[in-house]
Amino acid sequence: DAGVTQSPTHLIKTRGQQVTLRCSPKSGHDTVSWYQQALGQGPQFIFQYYEEEERQRGNFPDRFSGHQFPNYSSELNVNALLLGDSALYLCASSQEGYTNTEAFFGQGTRLTVV
Amino acid sequence: AQSVSQHNHHVILSEAASLELGCNYSYGGTVNLFWYVQYPGQHLQLLLKYFSGDPLVKGIKGFEAEFIKSKFSFNLRKPSVQWSDTAEYFCAARGSWGKLQFGAGTQVVVTP
């Protein structure tokens, strides 16, 4: 049973560029959440997708956008990259119905903006 | 505002010592609580979780945590640590819609 898979594992981009990160949820999961983990900090919630719609959003600017596909996989897009966007981006999947469920995390995509 | 705070940023201890990591949360309403561990180079893994019922929960690798509602705390414990417990530990809380709020993390280093 494949867990949560993310691609790519590492990425280097230049300021001002755009980036797309991808996530495949654990089998049987229909909800995908994205988190940003800066160095030395805990993960910060970006947004969550369910039924191909953004259901909840954290305190991130509109430069951060996402998408969920019919097969439940998801993309995170970041436009106009800033140096401060350098971080580990984590994808977590879970099943709808928040009670008594847990989130499973992928290994993350390490984004470096230069 | 919802928040999770972890008491220590870094903990260094010797093998066989006991470990306790503090976590306090600020949430209204029903809250689910979690401890995750991140070993070097690996993804976040769930150690244990509390949804309801017995406030003393047991997780993997000999870890346990106690939910004390009156203190808004969910402290993690292990009676005797091993070198392999060297990792970063995150406390997290979840209210509605599955959004996890994480603490800043505690880096634990176990020396041989």
PDB file of all heavy atoms in Angstrom, chain A residues 2 9 13 15 26 30 38 56 60 62 68 72 74-75 81-82 85 87 96 106 109 112:
ATOM      1  N   ALA A   2       0.830   1.991  -1.081  1.00  0.00           N
ATOM      2  CA  ALA A   2       1.676   3.172  -1.161  1.00  0.00           C
ATOM      3  C   ALA A   2       1.160   4.212  -0.204  1.00  0.00           C
ATOM      4  O   ALA A   2      -0.038   4.406  -0.028  1.00  0.00           O
ATOM      5  CB  ALA A   2       1.669   3.714  -2.596  1.00  0.00           C
ATOM      6  N   THR A   9      11.441  15.684  -5.142  1.00  0.00           N
ATOM      7  CA  THR A   9      11.931  15.689  -3.763  1.00  0.00           C
ATOM      8  C   THR A   9      12.701  16.964  -3.459  1.00  0.00           C
ATOM      9  O   THR A   9      12.667  17.455  -2.320  1.00  0.00           O
ATOM     10  CB  THR A   9      12.825  14.479  -3.488  1.00  0.00           C
ATOM     11  OG1 THR A   9      13.858  14.441  -4.465  1.00  0.00           O
ATOM     12  CG2 THR A   9      12.020  13.190  -3.547  1.00  0.00           C
ATOM     13  N   LYS A  13      14.740  27.024  -7.499  1.00  0.00           N
ATOM     14  CA  LYS A  13      14.117  27.993  -8.394  1.00  0.00           C
ATOM     15  C   LYS A  13      14.705  29.377  -8.137  1.00  0.00           C
ATOM     16  O   LYS A  13      15.274  29.652  -7.078  1.00  0.00           O
ATOM     17  CB  LYS A  13      12.593  28.040  -8.169  1.00  0.00           C
ATOM     18  CG  LYS A  13      11.848  26.809  -8.655  1.00  0.00           C
ATOM     19  CD  LYS A  13      11.773  26.799 -10.163  1.00  0.00           C
ATOM     20  CE  LYS A  13      10.851  25.727 -10.677  1.00  0.00           C
ATOM     21  NZ  LYS A  13      10.757  25.773 -12.170  1.00  0.00           N
ATOM     22  N   ARG A  15      14.160  33.558  -7.839  1.00  0.00           N
ATOM     23  CA  ARG A  15      13.139  34.533  -7.440  1.00  0.00           C
ATOM     24  C   ARG A  15      12.304  34.973  -8.638  1.00  0.00           C
ATOM     25  O   ARG A  15      12.837  35.246  -9.715  1.00  0.00           O
ATOM     26  CB  ARG A  15      13.797  35.765  -6.836  1.00  0.00           C
ATOM     27  CG  ARG A  15      14.045  35.681  -5.363  1.00  0.00           C
ATOM     28  CD  ARG A  15      14.661  36.965  -4.836  1.00  0.00           C
ATOM     29  NE  ARG A  15      15.875  37.343  -5.544  1.00  0.00           N
ATOM     30  CZ  ARG A  15      16.543  38.469  -5.339  1.00  0.00           C
ATOM     31  NH1 ARG A  15      16.091  39.337  -4.464  1.00  0.00           N
ATOM     32  NH2 ARG A  15      17.622  38.739  -6.004  1.00  0.00           N
ATOM     33  N   LYS A  26      -2.496   8.787   0.012  1.00  0.00           N
ATOM     34  CA  LYS A  26      -2.539   7.373   0.386  1.00  0.00           C
ATOM     35  C   LYS A  26      -3.816   6.756  -0.171  1.00  0.00           C
ATOM     36  O   LYS A  26      -4.861   7.415  -0.251  1.00  0.00           O
ATOM     37  CB  LYS A  26      -2.528   7.276   1.913  1.00  0.00           C
ATOM     38  CG  LYS A  26      -2.533   5.880   2.501  1.00  0.00           C
ATOM     39  CD  LYS A  26      -2.451   5.962   4.016  1.00  0.00           C
ATOM     40  CE  LYS A  26      -2.714   4.610   4.667  1.00  0.00           C
ATOM     41  NZ  LYS A  26      -1.713   3.603   4.301  1.00  0.00           N
ATOM     42  N   ASP A  30      -9.248  10.791   0.517  1.00  0.00           N
ATOM     43  CA  ASP A  30      -9.858  11.697  -0.442  1.00  0.00           C
ATOM     44  C   ASP A  30      -9.566  13.166  -0.130  1.00  0.00           C
ATOM     45  O   ASP A  30      -9.997  14.042  -0.882  1.00  0.00           O
ATOM     46  CB  ASP A  30     -11.366  11.479  -0.477  1.00  0.00           C
ATOM     47  CG  ASP A  30     -12.023  11.590   0.895  1.00  0.00           C
ATOM     48  OD1 ASP A  30     -11.357  12.045   1.854  1.00  0.00           O
ATOM     49  OD2 ASP A  30     -13.201  11.206   1.011  1.00  0.00           O
ATOM     50  N   ALA A  38       9.218  25.729   7.426  1.00  0.00           N
ATOM     51  CA  ALA A  38      10.473  26.470   7.332  1.00  0.00           C
ATOM     52  C   ALA A  38      11.474  25.848   8.295  1.00  0.00           C
ATOM     53  O   ALA A  38      11.109  25.156   9.244  1.00  0.00           O
ATOM     54  CB  ALA A  38      10.228  27.935   7.668  1.00  0.00           C
ATOM     55  N   GLN A  56     -10.436  24.879   3.159  1.00  0.00           N
ATOM     56  CA  GLN A  56      -9.965  25.753   4.225  1.00  0.00           C
ATOM     57  C   GLN A  56      -8.592  26.267   3.843  1.00  0.00           C
ATOM     58  O   GLN A  56      -7.826  25.567   3.158  1.00  0.00           O
ATOM     59  CB  GLN A  56      -9.893  24.995   5.548  1.00  0.00           C
ATOM     60  CG  GLN A  56      -9.728  25.890   6.767  1.00  0.00           C
ATOM     61  CD  GLN A  56      -9.749  25.110   8.063  1.00  0.00           C
ATOM     62  OE1 GLN A  56      -9.544  23.904   8.079  1.00  0.00           O
ATOM     63  NE2 GLN A  56      -9.992  25.797   9.171  1.00  0.00           N
ATOM     64  N   PHE A  60      -1.794  32.349   4.097  1.00  0.00           N
ATOM     65  CA  PHE A  60      -0.836  32.419   3.002  1.00  0.00           C
ATOM     66  C   PHE A  60      -1.417  33.286   1.893  1.00  0.00           C
ATOM     67  O   PHE A  60      -2.621  33.291   1.656  1.00  0.00           O
ATOM     68  CB  PHE A  60      -0.528  31.013   2.470  1.00  0.00           C
ATOM     69  CG  PHE A  60       0.461  30.266   3.321  1.00  0.00           C
ATOM     70  CD1 PHE A  60       0.054  29.629   4.465  1.00  0.00           C
ATOM     71  CD2 PHE A  60       1.796  30.230   2.982  1.00  0.00           C
ATOM     72  CE1 PHE A  60       0.965  28.962   5.280  1.00  0.00           C
ATOM     73  CE2 PHE A  60       2.719  29.568   3.768  1.00  0.00           C
ATOM     74  CZ  PHE A  60       2.299  28.937   4.924  1.00  0.00           C
ATOM     75  N   ASP A  62      -2.232  34.931  -1.909  1.00  0.00           N
ATOM     76  CA  ASP A  62      -2.846  34.327  -3.096  1.00  0.00           C
ATOM     77  C   ASP A  62      -1.828  33.759  -4.070  1.00  0.00           C
ATOM     78  O   ASP A  62      -2.202  33.043  -5.006  1.00  0.00           O
ATOM     79  CB  ASP A  62      -3.703  35.378  -3.813  1.00  0.00           C
ATOM     80  CG  ASP A  62      -4.920  35.760  -2.996  1.00  0.00           C
ATOM     81  OD1 ASP A  62      -5.232  35.013  -2.043  1.00  0.00           O
ATOM     82  OD2 ASP A  62      -5.532  36.794  -3.284  1.00  0.00           O
ATOM     83  N   GLN A  68      -7.079  20.046  -6.908  1.00  0.00           N
ATOM     84  CA  GLN A  68      -7.227  18.620  -6.646  1.00  0.00           C
ATOM     85  C   GLN A  68      -7.920  17.987  -7.859  1.00  0.00           C
ATOM     86  O   GLN A  68      -8.882  18.532  -8.394  1.00  0.00           O
ATOM     87  CB  GLN A  68      -8.049  18.344  -5.391  1.00  0.00           C
ATOM     88  CG  GLN A  68      -8.080  16.852  -5.045  1.00  0.00           C
ATOM     89  CD  GLN A  68      -8.871  16.547  -3.776  1.00  0.00           C
ATOM     90  OE1 GLN A  68      -9.853  17.221  -3.479  1.00  0.00           O
ATOM     91  NE2 GLN A  68      -8.440  15.538  -3.044  1.00  0.00           N
ATOM     92  N   TYR A  72      -8.057  12.384  -6.733  1.00  0.00           N
ATOM     93  CA  TYR A  72      -7.684  12.893  -5.402  1.00  0.00           C
ATOM     94  C   TYR A  72      -6.253  13.416  -5.318  1.00  0.00           C
ATOM     95  O   TYR A  72      -5.911  13.997  -4.283  1.00  0.00           O
ATOM     96  CB  TYR A  72      -7.912  11.847  -4.296  1.00  0.00           C
ATOM     97  CG  TYR A  72      -9.289  11.261  -4.292  1.00  0.00           C
ATOM     98  CD1 TYR A  72      -9.494   9.897  -4.466  1.00  0.00           C
ATOM     99  CD2 TYR A  72     -10.399  12.083  -4.144  1.00  0.00           C
ATOM    100  CE1 TYR A  72     -10.773   9.355  -4.486  1.00  0.00           C
ATOM    101  CE2 TYR A  72     -11.688  11.543  -4.166  1.00  0.00           C
ATOM    102  CZ  TYR A  72     -11.858  10.186  -4.335  1.00  0.00           C
ATOM    103  OH  TYR A  72     -13.122   9.654  -4.361  1.00  0.00           O
ATOM    104  N   SER A  74      -3.131  15.984  -5.961  1.00  0.00           N
ATOM    105  CA  SER A  74      -3.205  17.429  -5.786  1.00  0.00           C
ATOM    106  C   SER A  74      -1.919  18.097  -6.242  1.00  0.00           C
ATOM    107  O   SER A  74      -0.855  17.460  -6.292  1.00  0.00           O
ATOM    108  CB  SER A  74      -3.464  17.748  -4.312  1.00  0.00           C
ATOM    109  OG  SER A  74      -3.483  19.151  -4.063  1.00  0.00           O
ATOM    110  N   GLU A  75      -2.033  19.365  -6.573  1.00  0.00           N
ATOM    111  CA  GLU A  75      -0.883  20.206  -6.906  1.00  0.00           C
ATOM    112  C   GLU A  75      -0.911  21.452  -6.037  1.00  0.00           C
ATOM    113  O   GLU A  75      -1.979  21.965  -5.702  1.00  0.00           O
ATOM    114  CB  GLU A  75      -0.921  20.630  -8.377  1.00  0.00           C
ATOM    115  CG  GLU A  75      -0.649  19.531  -9.358  1.00  0.00           C
ATOM    116  CD  GLU A  75      -0.669  20.045 -10.805  1.00  0.00           C
ATOM    117  OE1 GLU A  75      -1.116  21.176 -11.050  1.00  0.00           O
ATOM    118  OE2 GLU A  75      -0.246  19.265 -11.684  1.00  0.00           O
ATOM    119  N   LEU A  81       7.924  33.618  -6.914  1.00  0.00           N
ATOM    120  CA  LEU A  81       8.658  33.097  -5.763  1.00  0.00           C
ATOM    121  C   LEU A  81       9.525  34.156  -5.084  1.00  0.00           C
ATOM    122  O   LEU A  81      10.175  34.975  -5.743  1.00  0.00           O
ATOM    123  CB  LEU A  81       9.533  31.926  -6.197  1.00  0.00           C
ATOM    124  CG  LEU A  81       8.785  30.600  -6.442  1.00  0.00           C
ATOM    125  CD1 LEU A  81       9.685  29.623  -7.185  1.00  0.00           C
ATOM    126  CD2 LEU A  81       8.291  30.014  -5.133  1.00  0.00           C
ATOM    127  N   LEU A  82       9.518  34.091  -3.754  1.00  0.00           N
ATOM    128  CA  LEU A  82      10.361  34.943  -2.932  1.00  0.00           C
ATOM    129  C   LEU A  82      11.382  34.063  -2.217  1.00  0.00           C
ATOM    130  O   LEU A  82      11.163  32.862  -2.022  1.00  0.00           O
ATOM    131  CB  LEU A  82       9.508  35.673  -1.890  1.00  0.00           C
ATOM    132  CG  LEU A  82       8.357  36.530  -2.415  1.00  0.00           C
ATOM    133  CD1 LEU A  82       7.517  37.048  -1.256  1.00  0.00           C
ATOM    134  CD2 LEU A  82       8.877  37.670  -3.265  1.00  0.00           C
ATOM    135  N   ASP A  85      10.137  31.867   0.497  1.00  0.00           N
ATOM    136  CA  ASP A  85       9.340  30.684   0.190  1.00  0.00           C
ATOM    137  C   ASP A  85      10.173  29.410   0.288  1.00  0.00           C
ATOM    138  O   ASP A  85       9.632  28.302   0.183  1.00  0.00           O
ATOM    139  CB  ASP A  85       8.737  30.787  -1.207  1.00  0.00           C
ATOM    140  CG  ASP A  85       7.730  31.911  -1.346  1.00  0.00           C
ATOM    141  OD1 ASP A  85       7.070  32.251  -0.333  1.00  0.00           O
ATOM    142  OD2 ASP A  85       7.607  32.478  -2.454  1.00  0.00           O
ATOM    143  N   ALA A  87      11.574  26.370   1.724  1.00  0.00           N
ATOM    144  CA  ALA A  87      11.042  25.575   2.839  1.00  0.00           C
ATOM    145  C   ALA A  87      10.833  24.151   2.367  1.00  0.00           C
ATOM    146  O   ALA A  87      10.988  23.837   1.178  1.00  0.00           O
ATOM    147  CB  ALA A  87       9.717  26.147   3.337  1.00  0.00           C
ATOM    148  N   GLU A  96     -12.226  11.915   4.541  1.00  0.00           N
ATOM    149  CA  GLU A  96     -13.242  12.881   4.918  1.00  0.00           C
ATOM    150  C   GLU A  96     -13.939  12.416   6.184  1.00  0.00           C
ATOM    151  O   GLU A  96     -14.141  11.237   6.411  1.00  0.00           O
ATOM    152  CB  GLU A  96     -14.253  13.052   3.784  1.00  0.00           C
ATOM    153  CG  GLU A  96     -15.525  13.782   4.145  1.00  0.00           C
ATOM    154  CD  GLU A  96     -15.269  15.192   4.687  1.00  0.00           C
ATOM    155  OE1 GLU A  96     -14.110  15.596   4.778  1.00  0.00           O
ATOM    156  OE2 GLU A  96     -16.234  15.882   5.016  1.00  0.00           O
ATOM    157  N   GLY A 106       3.622  12.872   3.418  1.00  0.00           N
ATOM    158  CA  GLY A 106       4.653  12.478   2.483  1.00  0.00           C
ATOM    159  C   GLY A 106       6.008  12.956   2.973  1.00  0.00           C
ATOM    160  O   GLY A 106       6.114  13.618   4.011  1.00  0.00           O
ATOM    161  N   THR A 109       8.702  18.072  -0.348  1.00  0.00           N
ATOM    162  CA  THR A 109       9.519  18.650  -1.431  1.00  0.00           C
ATOM    163  C   THR A 109      10.319  19.789  -0.837  1.00  0.00           C
ATOM    164  O   THR A 109       9.750  20.724  -0.267  1.00  0.00           O
ATOM    165  CB  THR A 109       8.650  19.179  -2.582  1.00  0.00           C
ATOM    166  OG1 THR A 109       7.967  18.088  -3.196  1.00  0.00           O
ATOM    167  CG2 THR A 109       9.509  19.903  -3.609  1.00  0.00           C
ATOM    168  N   THR A 112      14.150  25.367  -2.714  1.00  0.00           N
ATOM    169  CA  THR A 112      15.136  26.408  -2.450  1.00  0.00           C
ATOM    170  C   THR A 112      14.962  27.496  -3.499  1.00  0.00           C
ATOM    171  O   THR A 112      15.005  27.216  -4.699  1.00  0.00           O
ATOM    172  CB  THR A 112      16.569  25.858  -2.507  1.00  0.00           C
ATOM    173  OG1 THR A 112      16.690  24.794  -1.558  1.00  0.00           O
ATOM    174  CG2 THR A 112      17.575  26.951  -2.175  1.00  0.00           C
TER     175      THR A 112
END
